[in-house]
Amino acid sequence: MKNFKLFTLVLIILVNYQCTTEKDDFVQEPLQQKISAKLLTKIENLGYDINRFPPVLTDDGATIIIERDMLISLKKLKEASLEKQSYNRAAGLLSCGRAREIRVRNNLRAGGAPRRAVSRAINLWNRVSNSNVRFVVVTSGRIDLRIVSASLPDGEFPVIADAFLPEDGRIGGQIRVDETTRTFNNRILTQRQWSNVIAHELGHAIGFIHDEESGVRIPGTPNTNITSIMSNRERIGAPNSVENLDDISGADKRAIRRMYGGQGNRLCRNF
């Protein structure tokens, strides 16, 4: 009888352990597993890197995060053409008219370096000659783009900020900034470094992807540009990282002119 009880107890423990393990395995299943293989292939065919930074589906199932800091609605991604160039021209840019006045609400923490950095970040894009893109900071009325504070993923490759890509000719409506992020060597980011971070996300909001990714190039720009504000190569705050650039690059300026300039061959259109 004693041996039977002992066997029963061991069996119960094994069953409970099995159930707990299965439950833990389910809870810890990576979010990207919820994205179908067909959709992952489509994201890759659009020119995005799905291997270095696998796409992640947000908890609400409505948005996919690509390459850590670009957000696009699942609905729009499913509608997107498999041709990167077609996607950029049809849904990945603002309409020409909307680019002329992009009304920005700065909701970052009062007094913090990220909030103070927004002005320079905007000016990096606004001062490009022969470009119709103009960001305007507002406190009331119509708001096209909000810059808000958020808690973003940490770890080996922390996310310092992210932004929604344009959809249907409208700007990505939100940039999220994790104001607690530090550099790779645990230093506080300076106001100038924060301005480059926000300028990078503003670039996403108007249709730029990361400079080093594949896909159709904007005519007149190089295949590689390590000084691009849209680079995603280095760790946060590293010597050659986006955070330490002095300005957007010449190639960035040529790109935005071709996307939103006044010439007839500009890529934006009114839709």
Side-chain angles (χ1 to χ4, degrees), residues 141-204:
R142 189 190 84 240
I143 299 172
D144 303 314
L145 175 64
R146 294 179 186 272
I147 304 178
V148 303
S149 184
S151 178
L152 299 176
D154 202 348
E156 182 181 2
F157 298 103
V159 179
I160 189 170
D162 60 22
F164 281 86
L165 296 172
E167 295 184 15
D168 300 322
R170 298 178 181 276
I171 192 168
Q174 188 178 82
I175 290 174
R176 304 187 301 176
V177 179
D178 192 332
E179 301 185 62
T180 66
T181 305
R182 288 174 171 255
T183 66
F184 77 97
N185 53 358
N186 201 35
R187 295 184 178 181
I188 296 174
L189 274 77
T190 66
Q191 182 174 320
R192 186 180 185 86
Q193 288 175 317
W194 276 115
S195 68
N196 286 355
V197 168
I198 295 169
H200 177 100
E201 301 307 331
L202 288 171
H204 286 322

Side-chain angles (χ1 to χ4, degrees), residues 209-241:
I209 62 170
H210 292 133
D211 170 74
E212 57 269 47
E213 302 311 337
S214 61
V216 175
R217 288 278 151 185
I218 297 170
T221 63
N223 289 333
T224 304
N225 180 210
I226 62 173
T227 60
S228 171
I229 199 72
M230 301 311 301
S231 176
N232 190 35
R233 292 179 178 85
E234 302 289 343
R235 293 176 295 173
I236 296 171
N240 295 321
S241 67

Side-chain angles (χ1 to χ4, degrees), residues 3 7 35 95 108 128 142 178 196 204 208 255 258 264 270:
N3 289 340
F7 173 79
I35 303 174
S95 68
L108 297 177
V128 177
R142 189 190 84 240
D178 192 332
N196 286 355
H204 286 322
F208 283 102
R258 186 63 192 273
N270 288 309

